[in-house]
Amino acid sequence: MAYTNNASQVISDFIVENIQSGTWIPGDKIWSESEFCQNLDVSRIAVRDAIANLSAISVLKKVKGSGTYVEQPENVSLEGIRYFKMTPEDMLELMEFRYLMDSYCTELFTQRATDKEIRELEECYHKMIEHRGDLETYNFYSNEFHLLIARGSKNHFILKVIEYLRDNMLTHQNVLSQDIQKEKFRIGISYHYKILQAIKQRDTEMAGTYCRYHIRRSMELYRNATAQTTQNRLFSEKNTALEKST
């Protein structure tokens, strides 16, 4: 097959899909160039281009004389981390980061946003309410709410970081259990409303404070959910061990 940019993208997508699905986990050796060429019917140039691009953002690591491996998450660049499946522990670390960043971003938005940007934020909030029965769509508009705030902060560094993290947030939220989703919805609706009202009143301090409260409550929810999941797993493993011993 002749080399095309599309062929390189197909290979990149294939590698990322295997990483996100858990088929290839950090430390695993991926296919050789020959295996990619044979299984995907692509050229060696396309394979090398795809691997070089993913290696440049530390998703992959090439080891001379050995092959190419999936990089460890802690070594991945900010741009590359969105290609990895997040664990509940990763999610909590991300929320700790957002606890600091989002609150100040909200304060900047309150100070710098135009009236038009505030109206757009209010419209986004109403779409959250409108889609309360569709949690996937609700999650989309909930994240869009914070993305609009990042844009209105007029800080391009903050906006770039939020855009990179957005996919990770959406992917994780959409696989949470229904019970957790419902509680998250209740917390989100309440605090997004309070944040919006403070912004409309141009109350910088309260807007930032409500944002911190919102993320703190969400962190508590995730911590409790993670602890419960761990407890259920240990209980199941214990029962399995007892059944095998009898």
Side-chain angles (χ1 to χ4, degrees):
M1 173 183 283
Y3 170 72
T4 66
N5 288 331
N6 183 59
S8 177
Q9 187 61 53
V10 167
I11 299 163
S12 294
D13 291 344
F14 178 83
I15 294 171
V16 169
E17 286 170 7
N18 275 277
I19 292 173
Q20 292 181 334
S21 68
T23 301
W24 289 334
I25 63 174
D28 277 358
K29 183 178 180 180
I30 69 170
W31 287 350
S32 66
E33 288 184 8
S34 297
E35 288 173 312
F36 276 111
C37 294
Q38 181 178 353
N39 290 297
L40 300 183
D41 189 25
V42 292
S43 70
R44 285 183 180 271
I45 297 176
V47 174
R48 291 169 186 168
D49 188 43
I51 289 176
N53 289 336
L54 291 173
S55 298
I57 55 176
S58 301
V59 171
L60 300 176
K61 178 175 65 174
K62 292 185 286 187
V63 179
K64 189 174 182 179
S66 178
T68 303
Y69 296 79
V70 179
E71 184 58 276
Q72 298 296 330
E74 59 268 22
N75 297 329
V76 178
S77 68
L78 177 61
E79 184 177 359
I81 199 170
R82 59 181 172 170
Y83 298 125
F84 284 76
K85 184 177 180 180
M86 293 187 72
T87 66
E89 291 76 17
D90 293 331
M91 187 66 179
L92 284 170
E93 289 188 7
L94 173 56
M95 295 181 78
E96 288 172 351
F97 172 71
R98 292 192 63 183
Y99 179 81
L100 300 173
M101 183 180 69
D102 281 22
S103 57
Y104 184 59
C105 183
T106 302
E107 292 175 0
L108 291 178
F109 180 90
T110 306
Q111 295 169 357
R112 300 175 178 178
T114 64
D115 291 342
K116 181 177 182 293
E117 288 171 327
I118 294 176
R119 286 195 299 271
E120 290 174 349
L121 189 68
E122 187 167 22
E123 289 172 4
C124 183
Y125 174 77
H126 289 310
K127 287 180 180 177
M128 290 169 57
I129 299 292
E130 179 184 344
H131 293 91
R132 65 174 65 202
D134 181 351
L135 288 173
E136 184 171 347
T137 305
Y138 165 79
N139 284 333
F140 171 83
Y141 284 113
S142 176
N143 279 271
E144 187 73 11
F145 186 92
H146 292 284
L147 184 59
L148 288 172
I149 288 177
R151 289 172 182 157
S153 73
K154 310 298 192 295
N155 185 306
H156 296 298
F157 290 99
I158 289 176
L159 177 57
K160 289 297 183 185
V161 171
I162 289 289
E163 287 176 336
Y164 277 133
L165 298 179
R166 186 167 180 260
D167 288 344
N168 293 83
M169 295 292 291
L170 280 172
T171 299
H172 186 79
Q173 288 171 347
N174 287 333
V175 299
L176 294 174
S177 72
Q178 290 295 309
D179 288 341
I180 297 174
Q181 286 273 27
K182 290 176 182 178
E183 179 63 14
K184 178 180 172 296
F185 169 80
R186 187 186 66 78
I187 293 172
I189 287 295
S190 173
Y191 279 102
H192 281 81
Y193 175 79
K194 293 176 181 179
I195 292 169
L196 177 61
Q197 295 308 308
I199 288 173
K200 290 172 68 176
Q201 295 168 16
R202 298 288 183 174
D203 189 334
T204 301
E205 183 176 353
M206 287 309 300
T209 298
Y210 283 135
C211 185
R212 283 189 289 275
Y213 283 162
H214 167 44
I215 297 176
R216 186 182 300 165
R217 288 293 306 279
S218 297
M219 288 170 66
E220 291 171 359
L221 177 64
Y222 282 117
R223 286 196 182 99
N224 293 338
T226 301
Q228 185 62 51
T229 299
T230 301
Q231 184 177 347
N232 292 341
R233 178 177 57 79
L234 293 175
F235 181 76
S236 177
E237 290 175 353
K238 182 179 180 180
N239 284 342
T240 301
L242 287 173
E243 290 174 359
K244 289 181 178 180
S245 66
T246 58

